[in-house]
């Protein structure tokens, strides 16, 4: 994927690196799908590289990445076989302690090493507390890059020890340009739906374009505009989403629904704003719960449809 929107983060990072006193911990923040992890790896490679020392093209011995591990031994075996596998929900204290054990040794190729944690906001509480000790007393030559989509979930004491590097949202025009380059065969409606649902995230827009959101976008906008008193449109929405959508598709549907309500808010009366705000708030809650709650897909779709219908002009809304 072409990475866009990184000009300012790179400027800030390289300016700090050239200053002679590089901060030992960085917090890379911004919406999921902005390429923060790709930036972290590239920045870490620049950080540990030394003149005259060969740098391997693949995995680097002085760059250590902590992320979600396979859920269990069965999923670990699937990963080894190259099959789809489930991940643990959190980064564990065991991973942090294993990393800290490595910090008792010297870097392999030079004087510096980098620790990347992605996403840092998914660390267990005990893991966060353990990491804090390393941030308070970092070994010489060790730098931490914490990737966080929701930095408020991190301990305040961790945030206070990091320099924040913010990644901006990408404008719709640049998103469309990205899609025209990466997915030139995508039709206009699909592009419109993907851009609306992604809300400035290049990674999300590419995921959404493969989720065939165009038909869903059309139905959702009709529900929000016309209401759905006889549940016909909600039935069409359920059919378009599918009987067994995976979590990625459910997430895309929820993001699209929020974008549809956002579009309604741009052309509404003052009296409609409280209803739109309430529906959007409830969709935000559902979006936060979706990755971990075992929702019944059919009931979830109906709930999404009902929230959309509640935002239609009063005379067209479905009965509560």
């Amino acid at each position: 994927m072409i990475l866009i929107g990184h000009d300012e983060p790179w400027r800030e990072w390289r300016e700090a690196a050239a200053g002679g006193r590089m901060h030992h911990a960085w917090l890379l923040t911004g919406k999921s799908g902005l390429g923060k992890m790709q930036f972290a790896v590239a920045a870490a490679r620049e950080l540990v590289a030394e003149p005259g020392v060969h740098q391997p093209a693949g995995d680097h011995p002085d760059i250590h990445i902590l992320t979600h591990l396979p859920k269990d031994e069965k999923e670990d075996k699937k990963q080894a076989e190259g099959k789809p596998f489930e991940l643990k929900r959190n980064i564990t204290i065991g991973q942090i302690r294993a990393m800290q054990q490595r910090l008792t040794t010297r870097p392999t190729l030079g004087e510096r090493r980098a620790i990347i944690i992605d996403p840092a906001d998914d660390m267990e509480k005990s893991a966060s507390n353990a990491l804090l000790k390393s941030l308070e007393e970092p070994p010489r030559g060790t730098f931490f890059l914490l990737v966080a989509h929701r930095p408020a979930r991190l301990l305040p004491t961790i945030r206070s020890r990091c320099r924040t590097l913010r990644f901006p949202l990408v404008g719709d025009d640049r998103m469309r340009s990205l899609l025209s380059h990466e997915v030139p065969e995508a039709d206009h409606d699909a592009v419109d739906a993907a851009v609306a649902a992604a809300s400035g995230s290049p990674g999300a827009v590419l995921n959404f374009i493969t989720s065939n959101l165009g038909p869903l976008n059309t139905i959702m906008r009709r529900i929000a505009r016309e209401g759905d008193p006889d549940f016909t449109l909600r039935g069409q929405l359920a059919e378009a989403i599918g009987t067994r959508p995976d979590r990625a598709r459910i997430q895309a549907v929820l993001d699209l629904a929020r974008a549809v309500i956002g579009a309604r808010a741009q052309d509404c009366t003052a009296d409609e704003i409280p209803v739109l705000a309430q529906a959007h708030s409830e969709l935000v809650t559902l979006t936060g719960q979706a990755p971990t709650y075992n929702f019944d897909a059919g009931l979830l779709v109906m709930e999404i449809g009902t929230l959309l219908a509640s935002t239609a002009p009063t005379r067209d809304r479905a009965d509560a």
Side-chain angles (χ1 to χ4, degrees), residues 157-213:
T157 44
I158 287 181
R159 297 199 304 268
S160 69
R161 284 163 175 76
C162 296
R163 176 169 171 176
T164 299
L165 193 60
R166 293 182 174 84
F167 286 71
L169 297 177
V170 176
D172 288 357
D173 288 344
R174 294 191 72 185
M175 299 270 274
R176 292 177 189 279
S177 178
L178 173 68
L179 289 178
S180 68
H181 183 276
E182 298 284 330
V183 196
E185 70 278 8
D187 63 51
H188 181 75
D189 287 344
V191 168
D192 283 348
V195 170
S199 300
S201 168
V205 83
L206 289 170
N207 287 334
F208 291 161
I209 201 70
T210 62
S211 299
N212 191 26
L213 295 182

Side-chain angles (χ1 to χ4, degrees), residues 5-17 22-23 25-31 34-44 46-47 144-151 154 158-169:
H6 287 187
D7 293 347
E8 182 58 24
W10 272 121
R11 184 201 63 75
E12 188 173 342
W13 173 267
R14 287 171 175 155
E15 186 177 88
M22 186 72 161
H23 196 74
W26 290 73
L27 182 60
L28 281 56
T29 68
K31 186 174 181 177
L34 294 176
K36 300 187 295 299
M37 178 57 181
Q38 292 90 333
F39 178 97
V41 172
E46 285 193 5
L47 188 65
F144 295 87
L145 292 88
L146 310 185
V147 177
H149 314 312
R150 295 157 294 180
L154 289 168
I158 287 181
R159 297 199 304 268
S160 69
R161 284 163 175 76
C162 296
R163 176 169 171 176
T164 299
L165 193 60
R166 293 182 174 84
F167 286 71
L169 297 177

Side-chain angles (χ1 to χ4, degrees), residues 93-107:
I93 188 173
Q95 292 174 265
I96 299 298
R97 286 176 173 165
M99 174 270 292
Q100 290 171 326
Q101 187 63 35
R102 299 189 71 167
L103 297 186
T104 61
T105 64
R106 290 179 55 81

Side-chain angles (χ1 to χ4, degrees), residues 286-299:
L286 287 174
T287 301
Q289 295 171 341
T292 54
Y293 283 46
N294 189 24
F295 286 121
D296 178 274
L299 293 177

Side-chain angles (χ1 to χ4, degrees), residues 32 37 65-72 75-76 79 85-92 95-96 116-124 147-150 153 247 291-292:
S32 177
M37 178 57 181
I65 300 173
L66 282 67
T67 189
H68 294 284
L69 295 174
K71 182 179 179 181
D72 50 34
E75 300 304 314
D76 191 39
Q79 180 189 33
F85 60 95
E86 289 188 53
L87 298 173
K88 290 183 178 180
R89 292 180 180 176
N90 300 107
I91 294 172
T92 67
Q95 292 174 265
I96 299 298
I116 300 172
I117 305 179
D118 174 40
D121 39 317
D122 275 356
M123 285 188 293
E124 297 174 342
V147 177
H149 314 312
R150 295 157 294 180
R153 294 183 60 185
R247 287 186 174 178
T292 54

